[in-house]
Amino acid sequence: MFSTVLIANRGEIALRIARACRELGMRTVAVYSTPDRDSAVVRFADEAVHIGPAPSKASYLNIPAVLEAALLSGAQAIHPGYGFLSEDPDFAEVCEANGIFFIGPSARVMQQLGDKAAARAAMAEAGLPVLPGSTTALSGPAEAKETAQQTGFPVILKAAAGGGGRGMAIVRDPDDLSAAFQETRAHAYAVFGDDRLYLERYIDDARHVEVQVLCDRHGSAIHLGERDCSVQRRHQKLVEEAPAPGLSEELRTSICEAAVRGARAVGYVGAGTFEFVLTQSHEFYLMEINCRLQVEHPVTEMVTGVDIVREQILIAAGLPLSLRPGDVVPRGVALECRVNAEDPARDFAPAPGRLTEFVPPSGPFVRVDTHALPGWQVGPDYDSLLAKTVVWAPDRDQALARMDRALGEFRVSGEGVSTTIDFLRRTLVRPEFRAAEHTTGLVAKMLDT
């Protein structure tokens, strides 16, 4: 077991990881940028190390600074959370070279699955259904056009090194493909430092369903069920639900078993997520694999009773999974709503500012993962997530009522600060959402009405 774990992240997820470590009796080290010096995790952790100024490249993405903090603090392991360095195989490799455990899959597996085009090819070979499209990164607009003609429009261009809903462009008209290719390639390079793109068929009116897997170093691999993440803006999720509503048991089993088969095929170790697109005719296709903890992991924890962060740490320490497939029996329904400092009326533009009031909801079966507090400065440098409001109930109707009650209790204010709370409440009462007939196009539809 580890005596000290460094948390290479910030915000609510850094605090979530620190709490799991504290419960395991492990000492925690927080790293922080200059504007985060008074953050919740800095106050909570046993030690805190300053690693640079506000820009992520100079702090949370600064591998030498993070590594030096780990070595100086005596950390045996680093938990990367999500985002930042969590899916960087170079960082995992550097950790290993310096005798530090990376709490996640190996650099080799991350390299293979982090390249989305390569991951598609590997999963197709393992027998998972993948959308028609390119099998390798595209050489340029000409190859993109040729592939799109074979695939059929609409298509979606994606960054091979992408993630988090960034580096994507939907193209419906062949005449727009070349310009979209150049624009998406430039964006991919700016965000990921890698301009390679691949292309696949885009499915309109689809659902986004993902499966949580856990795999240890001893050959055990299980799933913790699936989640629905179809409520999205700009390919980024707003509402998540477990289990995914409206799926037959046969379909649910097929999707979850496909995820485990894919994990086994590449020798995956740790917590990971297999993301699928589900058509209206209930055909499913793999979209991508996330080699990290997901923002929405709490809904799975709420219905299974499994502490996923704890399991991640124990797996990294070399312990075998304590769970077998039959041990995981989801109960009830959990929902998560992301309360972001954004203005839905301005296409969800960031709305930073200093919080003068921040009172999260409470009550039975309500969980709020947050790092915010009154007086906290919500800055422009990082993700706009303020809090994840999560509820559980025995059935979906009760869960929806509980979430609406919880969001109605939330009090957030500050000069210049807007949030997604009212928009989330409007989403919950949409007829298609109530009937579990919503797709990834729901938010766009709401903005048009």
Side-chain angles (χ1 to χ4, degrees), residues 8 34 42 44 53 103 120 149 157 161 196 230 242 298 373 399 402:
T34 302
V42 168
F44 184 88
I103 299 178
R120 275 169 49 85
Q149 288 171 347
L157 291 164
R196 292 174 305 128
S230 301
L373 67 166
R402 182 160 288 153

Side-chain angles (χ1 to χ4, degrees), residues 11-178:
E12 61 84 20
I13 192 58
L15 186 58
R16 164 76 180 90
I17 295 164
R19 285 170 168 155
C21 290
R22 179 73 58 85
E23 291 175 11
L24 283 165
M26 297 175 179
R27 180 172 169 271
T28 55
V29 180
V31 294
Y32 65 94
S33 66
T34 302
D36 283 341
R37 59 186 174 274
D38 294 322
S39 65
V41 71
V42 168
R43 299 179 185 187
F44 184 88
D46 298 293
E47 182 180 349
V49 180
H50 180 243
I51 55 169
S56 297
K57 289 184 178 179
S59 52
Y60 297 107
L61 290 173
N62 186 341
I63 291 177
V66 174
L67 184 64
E68 183 180 12
L71 294 171
L72 290 175
S73 63
Q76 288 97 27
I78 293 178
H79 197 307
Y82 54 72
F84 295 132
L85 297 171
S86 63
E87 292 183 284
D88 188 327
D90 294 335
F91 180 56
E93 194 169 21
V94 167
C95 289
E96 183 180 345
N98 284 272
I100 297 173
F101 287 87
F102 177 83
I103 299 178
S106 67
R108 177 192 63 81
V109 170
M110 276 203 291
Q111 184 75 49
Q112 182 180 10
L113 299 183
D115 183 324
K116 308 302 182 184
R120 275 169 49 85
M123 292 299 105
E125 188 175 342
L128 274 70
V130 299
L131 287 163
S134 55
T135 55
T136 59
L138 299 162
S139 59
E143 186 183 1
K145 188 167 293 187
E146 182 181 346
T147 304
Q149 288 171 347
Q150 297 170 356
T151 302
F153 286 86
V155 298
I156 183 167
L157 291 164
K158 293 184 177 182
R166 297 176 296 174
M168 299 182 185
I170 299 168
V171 184
R172 300 183 181 279
D173 189 325
D175 293 337
D176 297 333
L177 186 59
S178 292

